[in-house]
Amino acid sequence: MNARQFKRFLESVTKLTAGQLEQVRSALASEQTVRASYRAIEAARPCSCRRCGSEKVVRNGVQNGLQRFLCRACGKTFNAATGTPLSRLRDKDQFEAYAQCMRKGYTVRQAAAEVGLSLDKAFRWRHRFLSEVVAHQPKGVTGILEVDETYFRESQKGSRKLTRPPRKRGGKAKGRGRRNKDWIPVLVGRARGQALTADRVLGRLTGVEVTDALKEAVTPGETILCTDGHSAFLHLQRTLGVQTKSFVASYHGPVLDKVYHVQSANHYHERLKSWIQRRLRGVATKYLPNYLAWQRLMSWGKTGVSAEEVIASALGRQVVNT
Ligand SMILES: [Zn+2]
């Protein structure tokens, strides 16, 4: 719109009826959401070809609201979402609104109502937004890393066919012990005094699995691992080359060594569990890694990540644990 048209447009505002004014207001709000969505996607703009990695890329028109690029080396075109979990999703103009729901930890129902999506679509978007974030783990933490395990009950929520008999009244009679395969161990590592969080859904709580889950997160010689006395943590000093301190969890007397505890990891577990169980009413075990990733987004910094950062993370840029 040129300056003259815009001036006339502004002048005409005084002639609007109350109803028309309301329509204009809502059109402006939705246009802002749309633009914020595209801006957020393009902020993660590739400076090299998504297909061949060449840096000889030029702008090549706009398609579906997104800047298109042409690679001079391979001749392919692409945009900022190409090759990411978000590439084939329609309605990218709603990403900003959806990302706002993500950063607030909304249920599928809440997000669907807020953005105007079907329940099915809101659910599919959730996991597209989270799949890249699973790998955004901390690397080479120095200082104290509190490591602790927690358990989630195996769940086949949403599945049409159970691979085991259904539980009756929560299945309290049998297999309450946490060694039972009904319980899925989740390992969480929290760096003391830093916002870094490592997490992993384990098959079983064993030394081998714990070592594998933490080997990237530690710096040999510079990390001090703090654990409860579980046998899976016994040999980490040897396998990871880091100092380990453990305490006896069942000991309720005065804490002799005030530095070595896992309270930060425990608090993190509590927040994770109350959100998953009370708000989301449980989640399917197969998606558990995505929910751990989601919790990391929400607990990054003081207020969690912004909507733009939710989108950038979904496109593969590591925002948390950096
Ligand atoms: Zn290329």
Side-chain angles (χ1 to χ4, degrees), residues 94-288:
Q94 296 303 317
F95 278 8
E96 210 270 340
Y98 190 80
Q100 290 289 356
C101 300
M102 292 290 294
R103 63 181 296 274
K104 293 176 196 157
Y106 274 13
T107 63
V108 164
R109 230 162 256 284
Q110 287 172 318
E114 182 85 14
V115 186
L117 305 171
S118 68
L119 292 178
D120 187 49
K121 191 165 179 177
F123 182 76
R124 276 185 288 121
W125 276 27
R126 172 188 282 179
H127 294 293
R128 291 293 183 89
F129 270 71
L130 294 170
S131 67
E132 287 282 319
V133 190
V134 173
H136 296 168
Q137 300 282 344
K139 292 199 173 60
V141 174
T142 55
I144 294 179
L145 183 66
E146 297 182 17
V147 174
D148 201 16
E149 80 281 8
T150 190
Y151 291 83
F152 283 84
R153 192 134 207 204
E154 187 268 344
S155 163
Q156 301 186 16
K157 184 179 180 180
S159 157
R160 308 228 162 150
K161 234 180 192 172
L162 287 181
T163 57
R164 53 163 167 74
R167 300 190 187 108
K168 302 264 166 68
R169 296 186 190 91
K172 282 182 184 157
K174 248 164 86 180
R176 285 208 78 177
R178 302 227 150 158
R179 286 168 194 279
N180 191 293
K181 65 174 168 31
D182 252 16
W183 293 92
I184 309 297
V186 168
L187 191 74
V188 168
R190 287 275 284 175
R192 181 83 53 84
Q194 304 166 69
L196 308 173
T197 307
D199 55 47
R200 176 82 71 93
V201 178
L202 303 177
R204 280 181 62 213
L205 188 65
T206 63
V208 174
E209 288 208 29
V210 172
T211 301
D212 191 58
L214 294 175
K215 64 178 192 282
E216 299 273 310
V218 301
T219 313
E222 288 182 42
T223 315
I224 301 171
L225 273 189
C226 201
T227 69
D228 65 17
H230 194 286
S231 63
F233 302 135
L234 277 181
H235 304 294
L236 292 180
Q237 190 145 344
R238 187 159 44 77
T239 56
L240 291 171
V242 297
Q243 199 185 347
T244 60
K245 298 274 181 185
S246 59
F247 61 92
V248 181
S250 59
Y251 176 64
H252 289 299
V255 180
L256 296 174
D257 213 340
K258 287 197 171 88
V259 179
Y260 303 116
H261 58 76
V262 291
Q263 279 169 12
S264 172
N266 282 154
H267 289 152
Y268 194 84
H269 285 159
E270 279 162 28
R271 285 201 304 277
L272 178 70
K273 289 202 133 165
S274 79
W275 169 59
I276 285 186
Q277 283 162 354
R278 302 218 181 101
R279 190 155 186 197
L280 304 180
R281 308 252 164 202
V283 302
T285 299
K286 67 173 172 178
Y287 292 121
L288 204 44

Side-chain angles (χ1 to χ4, degrees), residues 49 52 54 71 74:
C49 175
C52 74
S54 164
C71 173
C74 70

Side-chain angles (χ1 to χ4, degrees), residues 51-71:
R51 298 174 197 274
C52 74
S54 164
E55 284 180 14
K56 288 183 186 161
V57 297
V58 291
R59 287 163 179 273
N60 193 257
V62 174
Q63 199 178 38
N64 300 327
L66 284 179
Q67 176 66 49
R68 219 162 164 71
F69 296 92
L70 171 70
C71 173

